[in-house]
Amino acid sequence: MRVLGIETTCDETAAAIVSLERSGESRILSNEVLSQIAAHAAYGGVVPEIAARAHVEAIDRIIARAFAHAGLKPGEIDAVAAAAGPGLVGGVMVGLTAGKAIALATGKPFIAINHLEAHALTARLTDNLSFPYLLLLVSGGHTQLLAVRGVGDYLKLGGTIDDAVGEAFDKIAKMLGLPYPGGPSVEREAAKGDPERFDFPRPMQGRPNPDFSLSGLKTAVRLVAERIAPLSDNDVADLCASFQAAIVDVMVDRTRAGLRACKTAGIAPSTLVVAGGVAANQAIRAGLSRLATEAGLPMVAPPLNLCGDNGAMIAWAGLERLKLGLVDDMSAVARPRWPLDSLTSKPTSPAPSPSEPATAA
C-alpha cells in the first residue's frame, strides 16, 4: 500500500510517498521538502501571501520529485493525502487542490488530512507504537497535551491559553535581534549562555490542570532585556539560556500533569511522545526523557527531519486512514482551524480496495 502525501499548511512545500509492506514494515520511499525560510526571514515571520505564491510556484516540481525519487508513476500509488488544515488557508488550498487533481486524474481515493493528526501519528511511522500514548504536541502555532487513543480518537487534556511554545521562541528571538526562525536561533545562543543568570517565572507550574501559559514568561524576558540594555553578546546568550531553561521546566511540569490527567481518565499510556517543530529542541527532549524515565515509560521523538512540517507525516496519516476506510470526497475544504479532538474514526465512505492490501501496523 503506497500513499502520496502533500503538505502546504505554512512555509514548507512538501511531498512524500510512504509505503506499508505486506510484512507490516513502513517505509518512506521519498520525502521532498522545500523551505521558504529565506523568503520570510526579512519579515521575522511567515507572510501568508508570500507563502501561498511560493507554494503555487513549487508544488508541481516537488510532487514530481517525490514520484521520481520513489521510482513510481502516479498510477502506481493507492491513494492521495493532502493536508487540509489547520494552517494558512491560502497555502492549504494549494496543496489540497493539487492532491484532488492527482486523485481525480488517477482514479485513486483522496484523503483530507488534519495537519495535527499527521504530527500525532508520526511516532507510529517511525517506531510502530501501539495505542494509547500521551502526546505533547509543540509547534509554532500549537501547544497541546493529548491522549492518542486511536486514529481519529484524541482526548485533549490541556493546551496553551495564550502563546504557543514555538511562537514564544520566535518572539524572544525577534526581541533579541536573532535571525528567523527563532527556535533554532535561541537554542544555539542558549548553548553558549548561563541558564541560572536570570530567574524567569515558570507559569502554571504545579497546577493540577495540564494547561500552559507562556505570554508572562515572554514579558519577563522583555522586561529584563530592557533593564540591562544595551545587550552584549553574553547578555543575549544568558537571556536565551535562562528562557530555554524556564521553557523546559514548564514543558516537563505540564507533561507530568498530563500523565496524572491520563490516570484520572482511566488511560494507561504506553509511551510519552513529543512531536511538532519544537520537538527538535534538544533541551526539551532531554527534559522529557528524564520525565519518562521517572514515570517508567519510554519516550519517543521523531528524527529531526520529521519534526518540522513534511510530506511523509501526511502520507502516513493518509495510510492509517486508508486502512480504516476513512476516505474523503472532492468536497473537502481548506480549514484554517481544525481541532484535533473533533476528528472522527468512523468511515465516511466504503473502504477502498488498494492494489497491495497490507496488514495492520
Side-chain angles (χ1 to χ4, degrees):
M1 188 184 293
R2 296 181 287 255
V3 175
L4 167 69
I6 301 170
E7 158 63 31
T8 57
T9 58
C10 191
D11 60 343
E12 283 91 12
T13 309
I17 297 175
V18 170
S19 72
L20 185 63
E21 307 301 325
R22 293 179 186 274
S23 64
E25 177 190 5
S26 58
R27 294 177 57 206
I28 299 175
L29 303 182
S30 62
N31 191 24
E32 303 298 316
V33 181
L34 179 64
S35 173
Q36 300 177 8
I37 286 176
H40 301 285
Y43 305 95
V46 178
V47 181
E49 293 80 3
I50 292 175
R53 284 199 298 271
H55 288 311
V56 170
E57 293 169 359
I59 189 68
D60 288 346
R61 71 175 185 274
I62 294 300
I63 292 172
R65 277 166 42 182
F67 277 111
H69 288 178
L72 295 172
K73 297 178 181 178
E76 295 176 315
I77 59 173
D78 295 296
V80 180
L88 302 176
V89 70
V92 173
M93 290 173 65
V94 175
L96 194 62
T97 302
K100 290 178 180 179
I102 295 170
L104 283 170
T106 58
K108 304 297 182 180
F110 175 73
I111 308 159
I113 298 298
N114 181 301
H115 171 91
L116 303 181
E117 179 170 54
H119 279 304
L121 297 175
T122 298
R124 283 174 52 80
L125 166 63
T126 59
D127 291 77
N128 195 28
L129 293 188
S130 59
F131 299 118
Y133 50 86
L134 176 63
L135 170 69
L136 173 63
L137 179 57
V138 280
S139 67
H142 302 276
T143 301
Q144 299 179 20
L145 280 162
L146 302 119
V148 181
R149 298 178 293 197
V151 177
D153 187 4
Y154 307 94
L155 174 64
K156 184 177 178 181
L157 303 169
T160 182
I161 62 175
D162 41 58
D163 289 357
V165 62
E167 180 184 3
F169 270 99
D170 284 342
K171 288 180 177 177
I172 293 301
K174 192 171 184 178
M175 181 191 308
L176 299 178
L178 299 176
Y180 175 83
S185 296
V186 171
E187 186 176 10
R188 282 192 298 269
E189 290 297 317
K192 301 181 288 186
D194 177 3
E196 298 183 357
R197 179 177 169 188
F198 303 107
D199 185 17
F200 291 131
R202 273 64 171 166
M204 309 289 281
Q205 191 170 43
R207 296 200 183 182
N209 57 312
D211 288 323
F212 301 78
S213 174
L214 297 170
S215 63
L217 173 57
K218 176 193 65 182
T219 300
V221 176
R222 177 178 59 80
L223 292 174
V224 170
E226 290 174 350
R227 177 169 56 82
I228 66 173
L231 302 177
S232 67
D233 289 345
N234 285 340
D235 291 334
V236 170
D238 291 347
L239 284 164
C240 288
S242 299
F243 165 75
Q244 183 174 266
I247 286 287
V248 171
D249 286 349
V250 168
M251 294 298 110
V252 170
D253 180 76
R254 301 290 73 215
T255 304
R256 184 180 289 112
L259 288 168
R260 291 194 296 265
C262 278
K263 185 176 181 179
T264 300
I267 299 168
S270 64
T271 311
L272 171 59
V273 176
V274 57
V278 183
N281 182 287
Q282 295 301 310
I284 292 176
R285 284 186 182 227
L288 292 171
S289 180
R290 291 191 295 270
L291 172 63
T293 299
E294 169 192 313
L297 295 174
M299 198 277 283
V300 169
L304 296 184
N305 68 320
L306 296 182
C307 287
D309 296 347
N310 62 89
M313 69 179 193
I314 303 298
W316 176 255
L319 203 154
E320 292 256 39
R321 287 188 154 260
L322 182 66
K323 288 188 298 180
L324 299 175
L326 298 171
V327 299
D328 298 282
D329 57 32
M330 296 300 142
S331 66
V333 297
R335 302 174 68 166
R337 293 179 178 82
W338 193 1
L340 188 53
D341 52 353
S342 70
L343 297 185
T344 178
S345 56
K346 296 180 180 179
T348 55
S349 302
S353 300
S355 59
E356 293 186 10
T359 57

